Short mmCIF file of all heavy atoms in Angstrom, two decimals:
data_model
loop_
_atom_site.label_atom_id
_atom_site.label_comp_id
_atom_site.label_asym_id
_atom_site.label_seq_id
_atom_site.Cartn_x
_atom_site.Cartn_y
_atom_site.Cartn_z
N ASN A 68 -29.02 9.78 -44.78
CA ASN A 68 -28.89 8.75 -45.81
C ASN A 68 -28.35 9.32 -47.12
O ASN A 68 -27.77 8.61 -47.93
CB ASN A 68 -30.25 8.09 -46.07
CG ASN A 68 -30.64 7.20 -44.90
OD1 ASN A 68 -29.78 6.76 -44.14
ND2 ASN A 68 -31.94 6.95 -44.75
N ARG A 70 -25.97 11.33 -47.29
CA ARG A 70 -24.55 11.63 -47.04
C ARG A 70 -24.27 13.10 -46.78
O ARG A 70 -23.14 13.55 -46.92
CB ARG A 70 -23.67 11.16 -48.21
CG ARG A 70 -23.79 9.72 -48.53
CD ARG A 70 -22.86 8.87 -47.69
NE ARG A 70 -23.47 7.57 -47.41
CZ ARG A 70 -23.14 6.81 -46.38
NH1 ARG A 70 -22.26 7.19 -45.52
NH2 ARG A 70 -23.73 5.65 -46.21
N GLN A 150 -9.00 -21.27 -28.78
CA GLN A 150 -8.86 -22.74 -28.78
C GLN A 150 -8.98 -23.30 -27.37
O GLN A 150 -9.55 -24.36 -27.16
CB GLN A 150 -7.51 -23.15 -29.38
CG GLN A 150 -7.35 -22.82 -30.85
CD GLN A 150 -8.23 -23.69 -31.74
OE1 GLN A 150 -8.98 -24.52 -31.27
NE2 GLN A 150 -8.15 -23.49 -33.03
N PRO A 154 -15.32 -25.62 -26.43
CA PRO A 154 -15.78 -26.85 -25.80
C PRO A 154 -15.64 -28.01 -26.79
O PRO A 154 -15.47 -27.79 -27.99
CB PRO A 154 -17.25 -26.57 -25.51
CG PRO A 154 -17.64 -25.56 -26.50
CD PRO A 154 -16.42 -24.78 -26.89
N TYR A 155 -15.70 -29.22 -26.31
CA TYR A 155 -15.71 -30.41 -27.13
C TYR A 155 -14.35 -30.74 -27.72
O TYR A 155 -13.83 -31.82 -27.57
CB TYR A 155 -16.76 -30.27 -28.24
CG TYR A 155 -17.06 -31.55 -28.98
CD1 TYR A 155 -17.42 -32.71 -28.31
CD2 TYR A 155 -16.98 -31.61 -30.37
CE1 TYR A 155 -17.69 -33.88 -29.00
CE2 TYR A 155 -17.25 -32.77 -31.06
CZ TYR A 155 -17.61 -33.90 -30.37
OH TYR A 155 -17.86 -35.05 -31.05
N GLU A 169 -17.46 -31.98 -18.74
CA GLU A 169 -17.63 -31.64 -20.16
C GLU A 169 -18.16 -30.22 -20.27
O GLU A 169 -19.19 -29.89 -19.66
CB GLU A 169 -18.59 -32.61 -20.84
CG GLU A 169 -18.56 -32.46 -22.36
CD GLU A 169 -19.46 -33.48 -23.05
OE1 GLU A 169 -19.48 -34.65 -22.62
OE2 GLU A 169 -20.14 -33.10 -24.01
N ILE A 175 -16.72 -17.67 -24.10
CA ILE A 175 -16.82 -16.42 -24.86
C ILE A 175 -18.06 -16.40 -25.76
O ILE A 175 -18.36 -15.39 -26.39
CB ILE A 175 -15.55 -16.15 -25.72
CG1 ILE A 175 -15.21 -17.35 -26.60
CG2 ILE A 175 -14.39 -15.73 -24.88
CD1 ILE A 175 -14.12 -17.06 -27.62
N GLY A 176 -18.79 -17.52 -25.82
CA GLY A 176 -20.01 -17.56 -26.63
C GLY A 176 -21.26 -17.37 -25.80
O GLY A 176 -22.36 -17.27 -26.35
N MET A 260 -11.33 -11.67 -30.37
CA MET A 260 -11.96 -12.87 -29.80
C MET A 260 -13.47 -12.89 -29.92
O MET A 260 -14.06 -13.94 -30.17
CB MET A 260 -11.54 -13.04 -28.34
CG MET A 260 -10.09 -13.48 -28.22
SD MET A 260 -9.58 -13.81 -26.53
CE MET A 260 -10.46 -15.31 -26.14
N ASN A 266 -24.13 -10.40 -29.14
CA ASN A 266 -25.16 -9.37 -28.93
C ASN A 266 -24.69 -8.30 -27.94
O ASN A 266 -25.38 -8.00 -26.99
CB ASN A 266 -26.47 -10.03 -28.46
CG ASN A 266 -27.63 -9.08 -28.54
OD1 ASN A 266 -27.58 -8.07 -29.25
ND2 ASN A 266 -28.70 -9.38 -27.83
N HIS A 267 -23.48 -7.76 -28.17
CA HIS A 267 -22.89 -6.66 -27.38
C HIS A 267 -22.48 -7.08 -25.96
O HIS A 267 -22.09 -6.21 -25.17
CB HIS A 267 -23.84 -5.46 -27.26
CG HIS A 267 -24.23 -4.86 -28.58
ND1 HIS A 267 -23.32 -4.27 -29.42
CD2 HIS A 267 -25.44 -4.78 -29.22
CE1 HIS A 267 -23.96 -3.83 -30.50
NE2 HIS A 267 -25.22 -4.15 -30.41
N PHE A 277 -15.27 1.70 -32.65
CA PHE A 277 -14.86 1.18 -33.96
C PHE A 277 -16.07 0.72 -34.77
O PHE A 277 -16.22 1.05 -35.95
CB PHE A 277 -13.88 0.02 -33.76
CG PHE A 277 -13.49 -0.64 -35.05
CD1 PHE A 277 -12.59 -0.04 -35.90
CD2 PHE A 277 -14.06 -1.85 -35.43
CE1 PHE A 277 -12.25 -0.63 -37.11
CE2 PHE A 277 -13.72 -2.45 -36.64
CZ PHE A 277 -12.81 -1.84 -37.47
N ARG A 278 -16.95 -0.04 -34.13
CA ARG A 278 -18.13 -0.56 -34.82
C ARG A 278 -19.00 0.58 -35.34
O ARG A 278 -19.44 0.58 -36.50
CB ARG A 278 -18.93 -1.43 -33.85
CG ARG A 278 -20.13 -2.14 -34.46
CD ARG A 278 -21.02 -2.68 -33.36
NE ARG A 278 -20.34 -3.63 -32.52
CZ ARG A 278 -20.28 -4.94 -32.78
NH1 ARG A 278 -20.85 -5.41 -33.86
NH2 ARG A 278 -19.65 -5.76 -31.97
N SER A 280 -18.20 3.83 -35.86
CA SER A 280 -17.58 4.73 -36.85
C SER A 280 -17.25 4.02 -38.15
O SER A 280 -17.51 4.55 -39.23
CB SER A 280 -16.29 5.32 -36.29
OG SER A 280 -16.55 6.05 -35.15
N THR A 286 -20.06 8.37 -38.42
CA THR A 286 -18.93 9.12 -37.86
C THR A 286 -19.35 10.02 -36.70
O THR A 286 -18.64 10.13 -35.70
CB THR A 286 -18.28 9.98 -38.97
OG1 THR A 286 -18.05 9.13 -40.09
CG2 THR A 286 -16.96 10.57 -38.52
N PRO B 67 -9.68 -4.86 -38.80
CA PRO B 67 -10.07 -3.47 -38.94
C PRO B 67 -9.22 -2.68 -39.95
O PRO B 67 -9.55 -1.54 -40.25
CB PRO B 67 -9.84 -2.91 -37.54
CG PRO B 67 -8.68 -3.70 -37.01
CD PRO B 67 -8.79 -5.06 -37.63
N LYS B 74 -11.28 4.82 -44.56
CA LYS B 74 -11.91 5.97 -43.90
C LYS B 74 -10.92 7.13 -43.78
O LYS B 74 -11.25 8.28 -44.08
CB LYS B 74 -12.36 5.53 -42.50
CG LYS B 74 -13.24 6.49 -41.79
CD LYS B 74 -14.69 6.11 -41.94
CE LYS B 74 -15.59 6.95 -41.09
NZ LYS B 74 -16.98 6.70 -41.40
N GLN B 95 -21.69 2.21 -50.64
CA GLN B 95 -22.45 3.44 -50.36
C GLN B 95 -21.68 4.39 -49.44
O GLN B 95 -21.77 5.60 -49.60
CB GLN B 95 -23.81 3.08 -49.74
CG GLN B 95 -24.75 2.38 -50.71
CD GLN B 95 -24.97 3.17 -51.99
OE1 GLN B 95 -25.06 4.39 -51.98
NE2 GLN B 95 -25.02 2.47 -53.12
N SER B 180 -20.90 -36.63 -34.73
CA SER B 180 -20.51 -36.37 -33.34
C SER B 180 -20.10 -37.67 -32.66
O SER B 180 -19.08 -37.72 -31.96
CB SER B 180 -21.67 -35.72 -32.58
OG SER B 180 -21.98 -34.49 -33.16
N LEU B 185 -16.59 -33.03 -35.59
CA LEU B 185 -17.48 -31.89 -35.34
C LEU B 185 -18.56 -31.95 -36.42
O LEU B 185 -18.23 -32.15 -37.60
CB LEU B 185 -16.72 -30.57 -35.42
CG LEU B 185 -15.66 -30.39 -34.33
CD1 LEU B 185 -14.78 -29.19 -34.62
CD2 LEU B 185 -16.32 -30.23 -32.98
N LYS B 246 -21.02 -27.97 -30.42
CA LYS B 246 -21.19 -27.33 -29.11
C LYS B 246 -20.31 -26.08 -29.05
O LYS B 246 -19.19 -26.09 -29.55
CB LYS B 246 -20.77 -28.28 -28.00
CG LYS B 246 -21.76 -29.37 -27.72
CD LYS B 246 -21.22 -30.28 -26.63
CE LYS B 246 -22.06 -31.53 -26.53
NZ LYS B 246 -21.39 -32.56 -25.73
N GLY B 247 -20.83 -25.05 -28.39
CA GLY B 247 -20.02 -23.84 -28.22
C GLY B 247 -19.83 -23.05 -29.49
O GLY B 247 -18.89 -22.25 -29.61
N LEU B 249 -21.27 -20.53 -30.58
CA LEU B 249 -21.34 -19.06 -30.43
C LEU B 249 -19.99 -18.42 -30.12
O LEU B 249 -19.80 -17.24 -30.33
CB LEU B 249 -22.33 -18.71 -29.32
CG LEU B 249 -23.74 -18.35 -29.77
CD1 LEU B 249 -24.63 -18.13 -28.57
CD2 LEU B 249 -23.75 -17.11 -30.65
N GLY B 250 -19.05 -19.23 -29.62
CA GLY B 250 -17.74 -18.66 -29.33
C GLY B 250 -16.71 -18.99 -30.39
O GLY B 250 -15.53 -18.69 -30.24
N HIS B 252 -14.98 -19.13 -34.33
CA HIS B 252 -14.80 -18.34 -35.55
C HIS B 252 -14.68 -19.27 -36.76
O HIS B 252 -14.03 -20.31 -36.68
CB HIS B 252 -13.54 -17.47 -35.45
CG HIS B 252 -13.65 -16.37 -34.46
ND1 HIS B 252 -14.28 -15.18 -34.73
CD2 HIS B 252 -13.25 -16.28 -33.17
CE1 HIS B 252 -14.24 -14.40 -33.66
NE2 HIS B 252 -13.62 -15.06 -32.70
N THR B 256 -10.18 -20.81 -37.36
CA THR B 256 -10.42 -22.07 -36.64
C THR B 256 -11.20 -23.10 -37.46
O THR B 256 -10.72 -24.20 -37.72
CB THR B 256 -11.19 -21.78 -35.33
OG1 THR B 256 -10.60 -20.66 -34.70
CG2 THR B 256 -11.17 -22.98 -34.41
N GLU B 397 -26.31 -5.34 -38.97
CA GLU B 397 -25.80 -5.36 -37.59
C GLU B 397 -26.91 -5.79 -36.63
O GLU B 397 -26.70 -6.63 -35.75
CB GLU B 397 -25.31 -3.94 -37.24
CG GLU B 397 -25.16 -3.64 -35.78
CD GLU B 397 -23.78 -3.96 -35.24
OE1 GLU B 397 -22.97 -4.52 -36.00
OE2 GLU B 397 -23.56 -3.70 -34.05
N ASN B 401 -27.07 -9.22 -34.30
CA ASN B 401 -27.32 -9.23 -32.85
C ASN B 401 -28.54 -10.08 -32.51
O ASN B 401 -28.54 -10.79 -31.51
CB ASN B 401 -27.50 -7.80 -32.33
CG ASN B 401 -26.18 -7.04 -32.36
OD1 ASN B 401 -25.12 -7.62 -32.19
ND2 ASN B 401 -26.25 -5.75 -32.60
N ALA B 405 -28.56 -13.30 -30.14
CA ALA B 405 -29.42 -13.32 -28.95
C ALA B 405 -30.31 -14.56 -28.94
O ALA B 405 -30.48 -15.21 -27.91
CB ALA B 405 -30.26 -12.05 -28.90
N ALA B 427 -33.20 3.20 -39.72
CA ALA B 427 -32.27 3.40 -40.84
C ALA B 427 -32.97 3.99 -42.06
O ALA B 427 -32.38 4.78 -42.80
CB ALA B 427 -31.60 2.08 -41.20
#
Side-chain angles (χ1 to χ4, degrees):
Chain A
N68 288 338
R70 303 274 146 203
Q150 294 290 2
Y155 192 54
E169 192 177 319
I175 53 171
M260 288 184 71
N266 194 19
H267 301 296
F277 176 76
R278 185 193 299 272
S280 300
T286 310
Chain B
K74 190 98 173 172
Q95 292 305 322
S180 298
L185 295 169
K246 284 178 192 166
L249 263 175
H252 291 279
T256 315
E397 162 90 355
N401 289 329

